[in-house]
Amino acid sequence: MGATRDTRSMAGLIEAERVHGSLYCDPEIFAAELERIWYRGWVYVGHASEIARPNDFVMKSIGPQALIMTRDQQGDVHLLLNRCSHRGAQICVTKKGNAASFTCPYHAWNFKNDGRLHGFPFPSGYEGVDKAGLGLARVPRVDSYKGFVFGSFAATGPSLDEHLGAGREAIDRLVRNSPEGEVEITAGFLQHKVKANWKFLLENETDGYHPQFVHASIFSVAESGIGSLYGGKSTAVTRYLGNGHSENDLRPEFRRLGKPLGWFGTDAQRFPEYVSRMRAAHGTEVADRIMIDGTPHTMIFPNLFIAEIQIFVLQAVAVDETVQHVTALQFKGAPELNRRLRQQTMGSVGSAGFLLADDAEMYERTQRGVQSRDPQWVFLGRGVHRERVDEQGFRVGDVTDEIASRGMWEHYRALMEAA
Ligand code: FES
Ligand code: FE
């Protein structure tokens, strides 16, 4: 596409059932997305449990922007840009730790962990300089929901609550699986880098059409029944939740099975301690219902994928490069289950796991493929004729239908065309 593209208008690029391939590979569009989506809306950054103690910090990001997520002495959380206000050096290169302040390695300016400039060497050279104006830059809005910390580079705009909308219920449903009602992100992250546009990953997370084909080998090796949840006969559904969020709702299948921990491919007898703690916390009936329903499979736009037993955090780096940060979920008060969650995560998405490797192959093939001269469109019409509205007013399709992509693109268009 030429340099004259008007990236403010998506006319001719996004239609009801198809989108133009250039949306995945045009650097001008990527630059516009950074401004209108990644540096304007709410983006998931990290979890409060990653910086549990005063002065804890962890390196994070919003798209290509490197951040330090800190907890100050008082317990407040800050998202600081990892860039010295003197001559631009990155302040922090340590993935995580505990520090009341950060000293830039270049000329040793020192910043408190709330971003304030604390001091600099040989201060006589800075007579009259206003230190207050030389702190680390910060992401202006920081908010959290049940420990999940989000940031927005826009000083004003919709609140986090408004952005999350129906996505909040997925987080509620997730944390209920802890006997103490909390998840912890303490297992460490794996990073998967792919040469593909971030939207291919986003759309794939709730694409219920591909698992039986792309993941056939892992399902057969692991003797897993997951594949059949995503078949033509499955009663599971794909639901568009608004604001770009979507889910594969597998509960109808798990309820048919009616077995606590059936969603996890196991049963209550294998985890007696967890089951009894859940029943003590919620009462037997409610606990069993929670343990039958399992955890969500929900994509929170633009970058937080709650993948049943893991979270995947998408980081858009370039038009054709995305990093997926992956970790096992850990449920507070459930050590027995947590061990198994870590093992299963290593097996499926660890360095020798097939699951993400198989998806990555498709991300990179689609990235290469959409650059062909013809056809120029990606067809997303699957299930249009059977789209329906559920009792809560959400658009729903069969689990293999492309309703999540269609909804996401409508939201994307609204964001890209907004003033
Ligand atoms: Fe950081 Fe000079 S660049 S102190
Ligand atoms: Fe997949």
Side-chain angles (χ1 to χ4, degrees):
M1 292 288 148
T4 53
R5 158 168 345 262
D6 171 16
T7 54
R8 189 65 74 181
S9 171
M10 291 287 124
L13 296 177
I14 300 176
E15 297 179 358
E17 296 176 29
R18 59 178 201 166
V19 298
H20 197 269
S22 63
L23 290 163
Y24 299 96
C25 41
D26 181 340
E28 283 183 55
I29 289 185
F30 181 72
E33 289 171 346
L34 288 181
E35 292 307 322
R36 292 174 215 153
I37 295 173
W38 291 86
Y39 302 158
R40 180 181 278 188
W42 288 100
V43 177
Y44 175 71
V45 177
H47 194 271
S49 60
E50 295 178 79
I51 46 168
R53 299 167 307 154
N55 298 334
D56 277 353
F57 71 88
V58 60
M59 283 177 70
K60 292 288 177 186
S61 58
I62 289 182
Q65 294 292 312
L67 306 179
I68 319 170
M69 181 165 88
T70 65
R71 186 181 293 282
D72 67 23
Q73 190 69 50
Q74 281 67 48
D76 293 329
V77 173
H78 306 272
L79 300 179
L80 308 172
L81 276 82
N82 191 3
R83 189 264 194 218
C84 181
S85 47
H86 178 218
R87 276 165 46 187
Q90 288 212 314
I91 301 274
C92 179
V93 290
T94 308
K95 285 254 175 295
K96 61 188 298 180
N98 187 274
S101 69
F102 299 93
T103 301
C104 178
Y106 200 175
H107 312 94
W109 283 27
N110 179 264
F111 301 88
K112 304 295 275 182
N113 61 8
D114 62 5
R116 277 176 302 145
L117 175 60
H118 186 51
F120 26 57
F122 321 135
S124 62
Y126 287 126
E127 275 290 324
V129 165
D130 175 22
K131 279 206 283 194
L134 285 171
L136 297 176
R138 55 181 65 240
V139 177
R141 287 195 297 163
V142 182
D143 201 356
S144 68
Y145 185 69
K146 304 215 163 160
F148 290 81
V149 178
F150 296 76
S152 165
F153 274 110
T156 58
S159 66
L160 177 63
D161 258 15
E162 287 167 322
H163 165 69
L164 287 179
R168 261 191 325 234
E169 192 272 336
I171 295 176
D172 295 342
R173 205 187 324 151
L174 176 70
V175 303
R176 271 205 300 269
N177 285 270
S178 150
E180 299 182 27
E182 281 180 50
V183 296
E184 296 182 310
I185 303 299
T186 49
F189 278 86
L190 294 149
Q191 291 173 22
H192 292 257
K193 179 153 80 175
V194 289
K195 292 297 291 174
N197 185 268
W198 63 279
K199 299 186 295 301
F200 277 130
L201 283 73
L202 162 59
E203 292 182 88
N204 183 66
E205 311 295 21
T206 51
D207 172 65
Y209 197 15
H210 79 284
Q212 281 213 7
F213 316 110
V214 174
H215 303 302
S217 61
I218 193 171
F219 294 154
S220 93
V221 169
E223 294 176 15
S224 162
I226 294 175
S228 60
L229 300 173
Y230 296 98
K233 295 204 176 71
S234 173
T235 57
V237 296
T238 294
R239 181 175 289 115
Y240 180 60
L241 297 168
N243 289 355
H245 317 316
S246 60
E247 67 177 354
N248 294 143
D249 185 354
L250 307 173
R251 285 174 294 180
E253 285 290 306
F254 297 145
R255 286 175 184 172
R256 238 157 45 116
L257 192 65
K259 220 173 67 163
L261 291 178
W263 68 273
F264 195 37
T266 183
D267 54 50
Q269 287 74 37
R270 298 284 296 276
F271 294 93
E273 192 187 315
Y274 171 69
V275 170
S276 74
R277 283 193 196 184
M278 285 291 284
R279 287 176 178 162
H282 300 283
T284 299
E285 198 183 321
V286 173
D288 284 9
R289 208 176 322 132
I290 293 169
M291 291 187 287
I292 287 170
D293 281 354
T295 54
H297 183 115
T298 303
M299 180 66 222
I300 297 194
F301 185 91
N303 74 327
L304 172 63
F305 176 37
I306 303 171
E308 286 114 333
I309 64 165
Q310 295 124 6
I311 59 167
F312 298 180
V313 184
L314 274 58
Q315 181 191 8
V317 176
V319 66
D320 59 354
E321 186 175 311
T322 307
V323 178
Q324 199 151 222
H325 302 258
V326 177
T327 188
L329 283 160
Q330 300 283 274
F331 293 103
K332 198 168 182 187
E336 202 187 17
L337 190 70
N338 287 343
R339 206 172 312 119
R340 172 77 178 266
L341 288 164
R342 292 195 299 272
Q343 286 164 353
Q344 206 148 308
T345 296
M346 287 310 294
S348 57
V349 303
S351 47
F354 293 177
L355 198 80
L356 278 186
D358 288 339
D359 283 320
E361 178 67 22
M362 295 310 129
Y363 299 145
E364 297 194 346
R365 282 199 197 197
T366 42
Q367 187 69 29
R368 294 194 297 270
V370 290
Q371 295 178 53
S372 301
R373 289 185 62 80
D374 202 32
Q376 298 187 354
W377 294 84
V378 172
F379 179 53
L380 297 171
R382 184 175 169 81
V384 163
H385 65 288
R386 58 187 179 191
E387 226 181 89
R388 49 208 182 264
V389 174
D390 70 10
E391 48 305 333
Q392 290 172 283
F394 296 117
R395 287 160 58 194
V396 182
D398 287 15
V399 73
T400 64
D401 291 350
E402 284 161 340
I403 186 164
S405 276
R406 291 193 292 274
M408 188 284 288
W409 282 109
E410 283 170 27
H411 181 66
Y412 173 96
R413 179 171 189 167
L415 296 178
M416 292 293 279
E417 293 184 339

